[in-house]
Amino acid sequence: MEAVILKEPGVVVIEKRTAESAAADEVLVQVVYGGICGSDVHGYLGTQPFISYPRILGHEVVGRVVESRSNHFSPGDRVAVDPVFSCGSCYACRVGRSNVCRDVAVFGVHRDGGFQQLIKLPADNLHRLPDEVSFEQGIFAEPLSIGFEATTRSRVAPSDTVTVIGAGTIGLMVACAAKHFGARVIIADVSEFRTVLAEKLGADRVVNVSSESLSDVVDEETGGEGSSVVIEAVGSDATINQSLELVSAAGRVVILGLTKKPIPLPMSLVIKKEIDLLGSRLNNRLFPQVLRLLAEENLDTSPLITDILPFSEAPKAFAAKAAPQDTQIK
């Protein structure tokens, strides 16, 4: 079989690898689609803080079972991969937060991932795709789980106004999750292309910050109180600080955007407003909820798929995704 390998930043090659057989409680999956995530692009550019090289990337994966040593799966089953591996015994795992396990390992980051034709995985990391969910929809299960984690961390409820900063794939998935929980959603980005997509996905107010003040919109939508929840999905010092300004007193801020550099924060503002300042990482066993949403709410993810390329063009796909542009999502 063949695998897409990131040898070092900017160098992607396709190499032959020996396919492994499934052992006890494991499943061998033929990959159908693998989505290129923003963190994969950071790995390609050398700015991903958690990755080591060489690495087979890919943690947004759907496929079909070809061999199973598990009672839960059979050949032919269509599956999505939860890429989070945890130890089950550390403090975080003991209190039900396995996504931040002391020894957490992410498929495609800490260990080789899904950009290969066949992958061997523990059955616990697989979830059967509902009949109503196509492979094309299923590829969004992992990024949507990130949105569910952020909205779960911030306790989003129907009474909330949620402001999402950044309308890339993750920001859009956060908006979908917040709408699922009944909140009113404001989402902001600099890209006209992305703000149009956000509107199609059901955001209540879309702000192109190139031509409109997000602060003014939040004041208008909340009667000057500020947004009860702000979820930052960019990872810049400017937008992280802006989150603290936009949130209401007693509100919650979730930081999703990744950055390597230290960012100074106005802690007096955190104290003055008594803000809950929260990090959010990966997903905490949320795939069943996500797949139910995709199946039951018929979330149309097709506008988010801007390119589908064959396996053989993976180096081209990474170069294109890493180039400055605003007309690609997935």
Side-chain angles (χ1 to χ4, degrees):
M1 68 151 190
E2 292 184 319
V4 176
I5 302 170
L6 179 62
K7 290 284 194 181
E8 59 186 66
V11 180
V12 174
V13 299
I14 297 176
E15 291 184 355
K16 289 191 179 297
R17 288 285 179 97
T18 301
E20 299 181 82
S21 296
D25 296 319
E26 289 184 334
V27 177
L28 189 66
V29 176
Q30 180 183 31
V31 175
V32 174
Y33 286 121
I36 298 179
C37 175
S39 62
D40 293 324
V41 175
H42 283 298
Y44 179 81
L45 294 173
T47 57
Q48 221 280 20
F50 305 125
I51 201 169
S52 59
Y53 305 89
R55 178 64 67 220
I56 299 174
L57 298 177
H59 57 269
E60 301 175 0
V61 179
V62 290
R64 187 175 281 108
V65 172
V66 294
E67 179 188 346
S68 176
R69 297 288 302 278
S70 163
N71 294 330
H72 300 292
F73 296 96
S74 301
D77 285 347
R78 300 181 317 120
V79 293
V81 177
D82 183 340
V84 183
F85 298 83
S86 53
C87 74
S89 60
C90 70
Y91 173 75
C93 289
R94 293 197 307 272
V95 298
R97 302 272 294 278
S98 58
N99 56 312
V100 286
C101 166
R102 176 186 59 193
D103 298 317
V104 71
V106 179
F107 188 57
V109 179
H110 305 95
R111 59 177 68 181
D112 283 342
F115 292 152
Q116 49 188 318
Q117 291 169 323
L118 292 169
I119 51 174
K120 184 181 71 168
L121 289 159
D124 286 348
N125 286 79
L126 295 177
H127 297 270
R128 194 174 282 103
L129 287 177
D131 292 341
E132 301 89 342
V133 177
S134 67
F135 280 125
E136 290 85 351
Q137 283 178 297
I139 202 68
F140 288 93
E142 195 281 332
L144 189 53
S145 76
I146 305 296
F148 262 65
E149 182 68 21
T151 49
T152 300
R153 288 279 286 147
S154 53
R155 309 181 302 280
V156 169
S159 58
D160 284 315
T161 296
V162 178
T163 296
V164 183
I165 302 177
T169 302
I170 297 303
L172 292 169
M173 296 296 96
V174 169
C176 289
K179 289 299 295 180
H180 169 76
F181 288 115
R184 181 168 179 79
V185 175
I186 303 166
I187 188 167
D189 202 280
V190 297
S191 162
E192 182 69 19
F193 175 77
R194 293 180 179 187
T195 52
V196 167
L197 285 178
E199 197 165 20
K200 288 181 180 178
L201 287 173
D204 298 287
R205 186 74 184 265
V206 175
V207 182
N208 186 329
V209 295
S210 298
S211 57
E212 195 172 10
S213 165
L214 178 56
S215 179
D216 288 349
V217 170
V218 170
D219 280 347
E220 176 190 333
E221 292 287 333
T222 65
E225 282 193 335
S227 191
S228 54
V229 177
V230 179
I231 300 178
E232 195 279 345
V234 176
S236 76
D237 52 359
T239 50
I240 289 172
N241 278 277
Q242 185 182 31
S243 301
L244 302 177
E245 295 167 0
L246 294 174
V247 74
S248 68
R252 291 92 74 196
V253 171
V254 177
I255 307 300
L256 269 175
L258 270 179
T259 179
K260 271 186 171 182
K261 67 177 184 177
I263 294 178
L265 295 176
M267 294 310 296
S268 60
L269 195 57
V270 175
I271 294 166
K272 177 184 175 182
K273 293 185 180 182
E274 204 173 48
I275 296 166
D276 288 356
L277 181 57
L278 303 162
S280 182
R281 187 181 185 193
L282 307 170
N283 87 93
N284 189 14
R285 305 188 185 281
L286 291 172
F287 265 62
Q289 289 176 252
V290 167
L291 291 172
R292 280 198 300 273
L293 182 154
L294 286 170
E296 295 170 9
E297 298 187 15
N298 195 28
L299 179 64
D300 183 13
T301 57
S302 58
L304 304 180
I305 300 176
T306 45
D307 289 287
I308 296 178
L309 293 173
F311 186 86
S312 59
E313 294 187 22
K316 174 184 173 182
F318 271 95
K321 186 69 176 169
Q325 43 75 32
D326 69 353
T327 57
Q328 288 183 341
I329 297 294
K330 184 57 57 190

